[in-house]
Amino acid sequence: MSNVRKHQVLAVVLLFVFAWHSASFAQSAPTTKTQVVMLGTGTPLPDPRRSGPSTAIVVNDMPYIVDAGTGVVRRAAAARDKGMKGLEPTNLRIAFLTHLHADHTLGLPDLILTPWIMGRKEPLELYGPAGTREMVAHILQAYDADIKTRTEGLEHSNRTGYKVNVHEITPGVVYKDASVTVKAFNAYHGSPQNTFGYRFETPGRVIVISGDATPKSDVLQNCNGCDVLIHEVYTQASFDKVSPEWKQYREAFHTSTRQLAEIANKAKPDLLILYHRENPGCDQARTQECREAGGEEQMLKEIRELYKGKVTAGHDLDVY
Ligand SMILES: [Zn+2]
Ligand SMILES: [Zn+2]
């Protein structure tokens, strides 16, 4: 091949490589990235593999936290260690509470104080039902001596990051920024008041979190073909084993696999994530048989019998 011919071939090859590279670059150009990180998938049960309920919706590395169960900040740090850099604890500054039950708020002092002790300067922006302001005031009062020691003593901690801007909410759009719109909706959990589920709309995805909820909650209309539905559940097999009192409690506060399958068949989420798999009555009975009846395997078996969509059992630190 002549030198001229070689140069021509080389030019064509280079042009092709350049064009291919440009095309692939265009395809992988940065787009909005929304991830669901299960920080805690547990219940009041002190299961060492499951922290208290808490979910992070992370949009372009900005975390929005739903609920503050036990271990929330440590689980965020564990997610950061797995490469989710947005979950650096000092980055935790926007949170939403579904309700004020202990399992969903035992980590609230942690969420208020630990990121601050690590250097967060911004106050926590906290959205929750009526009563949130009072709960936060009591927490801050309980830790008053500690806060004084850290701000006035040798640690020289900043005087802003432990503060909390509480937003007590009612159903509707409760938060909006350039990345997300967050809508609260009524979740019926024991009483028809003061419990919310949340719908997150991000540029790429719609994510709905039930919180603690009976089927009377407004999950269906808020999911309605959503990308991800994260829902609480208990098994029918464990329901059948508990006392009439516990049956009554479950019916008033939570959702069975059978009921959830019915909701999911109508709401048609692209992905159903099961979390907060509660087993009240069996937790207290503490027998192996009762535990297994309420276990994950049983839960998936029951739901799959009645719901043919994509469904998974969430575990702590799962990312979707
Ligand atoms: Zn709960
Ligand atoms: Zn609850």
Side-chain angles (χ1 to χ4, degrees), residues 3-269:
N3 271 349
V4 174
R5 180 76 184 132
K6 270 186 198 161
H7 283 129
Q8 280 172 341
V9 169
L10 188 65
V12 169
V13 167
L14 282 175
L15 198 66
F16 177 76
V17 168
F18 178 76
W20 176 82
H21 182 76
S22 305
S24 70
F25 180 77
Q27 275 168 12
S28 62
T31 49
T32 309
K33 195 167 151 199
T34 300
Q35 290 162 302
V36 178
V37 185
M38 308 306 284
L39 295 179
T41 55
T43 61
L45 182 78
D47 180 343
R49 291 156 303 177
R50 294 182 185 272
S51 277
S54 184
T55 308
I57 311 295
V58 185
V59 188
N60 290 336
D61 290 333
M62 178 64 202
Y64 303 83
I65 305 294
V66 180
D67 282 333
T70 347
V72 52
V73 178
R74 273 161 173 73
R75 282 293 200 249
R80 173 210 56 201
D81 290 349
K82 284 177 79 179
M84 303 282 310
K85 63 179 192 220
L87 284 163
E88 178 65 44
T90 50
N91 223 8
L92 307 177
R93 48 191 175 83
I94 302 176
F96 302 83
L97 298 174
T98 58
H99 62 309
L100 301 179
H101 281 171
D103 51 324
H104 298 251
T105 51
L106 282 167
L108 188 55
D110 190 20
L111 190 58
I112 295 171
L113 296 169
T114 308
W116 164 63
I117 296 168
M118 292 303 115
R120 182 186 65 200
K121 291 190 181 69
E122 300 88 355
L124 180 69
E125 299 293 333
L126 183 66
Y127 298 78
T132 304
R133 184 167 287 115
E134 204 184 346
M135 181 179 265
V136 166
H138 286 303
I139 291 170
L140 290 176
Q141 198 186 353
Y143 286 95
D144 185 51
D146 176 83
I147 292 166
K148 276 204 178 77
T149 305
R150 291 178 197 278
T151 50
E152 293 168 13
L154 296 174
E155 283 177 76
H156 304 289
S157 296
N158 70 65
R159 289 168 188 271
T160 46
Y162 68 85
K163 293 187 176 166
V164 184
N165 292 327
V166 177
H167 309 267
E168 291 191 343
I169 58 170
T170 51
V173 173
V174 295
Y175 179 88
K176 200 173 170 45
D177 65 20
S179 306
V180 305
T181 299
V182 185
K183 192 181 156 200
F185 60 86
N186 278 320
Y188 291 81
H189 176 53
S191 69
Q193 282 159 354
N194 262 358
T195 301
F196 299 111
Y198 289 104
R199 174 184 159 103
F200 281 76
E201 293 168 14
T202 78
R205 293 171 105 181
V206 173
I207 297 150
V208 172
I209 303 182
S210 71
D212 285 8
T214 60
K216 276 195 256 171
S217 309
D218 296 339
V219 169
L220 179 56
Q221 27 315 30
N222 280 282
C223 171
N224 197 17
C226 61
D227 296 288
V228 182
L229 172 60
I230 304 164
H231 206 292
E232 68 122 89
V233 72
Y234 65 80
T235 69
Q236 198 59 45
S238 65
F239 179 86
D240 294 339
K241 286 194 185 310
V242 296
S243 67
E245 290 77 16
W246 280 116
K247 283 190 170 75
Q248 200 182 7
Y249 163 78
R250 287 186 182 208
E251 282 170 340
F253 281 79
H254 297 291
T255 300
S256 71
T257 46
R258 209 177 273 173
Q259 292 167 327
L260 180 54
E262 203 176 309
I263 294 166
N265 277 321
K266 290 180 191 153
K268 299 189 188 344

